[in-house]
């Protein structure tokens, strides 16, 4: 028997019409990267976070790798992460050479 910890469908159900409209705009434009929706997301994220800029990336691993690189983390550096985490956390650290 499977017990769901969270009902994801219930969380996003009210947003489905808005998501469909956005998906249709992106599909119609053919601009999956560097398009107006990505730019709008980055601007809204920066405003929400109270920072001058935000950059959308493909996934969480890319975000971690870019963050480590931006901080100059590399070979010989020690990065501590929790043991109970997604493997991408450790993967990003290893990829940086730390």
């Amino acid at each position: 028997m499977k017990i769901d910890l969270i009902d994801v469908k219930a969380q996003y159900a009210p947003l489905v019409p808005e998501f469909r409209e956005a998906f249709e705009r992106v599909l119609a434009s053919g601009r999956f990267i560097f398009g107006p929706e990505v730019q709008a997301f980055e601007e809204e994220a920066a405003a929400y976070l109270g920072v001058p800029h935000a950059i959308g990336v493909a996934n969480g691993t890319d975000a971690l790798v870019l963050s480590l690189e931006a901080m100059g983390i590399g070979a010989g550096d020690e990065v501590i992460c929790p043991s109970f985490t997604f493997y991408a956390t450790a993967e990003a650290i290893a990829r940086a050479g730390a």
Side-chain angles (χ1 to χ4, degrees), residues 2-95:
K2 180 181 170 208
I3 300 174
D4 291 327
L5 298 177
I6 195 165
D7 186 355
V8 178
K9 287 184 180 182
Q11 287 182 336
Y12 69 70
L15 301 170
V16 168
E18 186 178 345
F19 288 162
R20 287 184 199 273
E21 289 175 16
F23 294 151
E24 288 174 11
R25 280 195 312 273
V26 172
L27 291 172
S29 75
R31 295 184 68 192
F32 304 109
I33 57 173
F34 299 123
E37 279 77 13
V38 174
Q39 182 177 351
F41 168 76
E42 292 172 339
E43 291 170 359
E44 290 175 27
Y48 178 80
L49 296 169
V51 296
H53 306 283
I55 301 172
V57 295
N59 52 60
T61 302
D62 287 350
L64 292 169
V65 168
L66 289 172
S67 297
L68 292 169
E69 287 179 8
M71 295 187 308
I73 304 286
D77 291 326
E78 179 181 29
V79 178
I80 300 170
C81 69
S83 60
F84 188 69
T85 185
F86 187 63
Y87 71 87
T89 308
E91 174 193 19
I93 295 167
R95 189 168 153 190

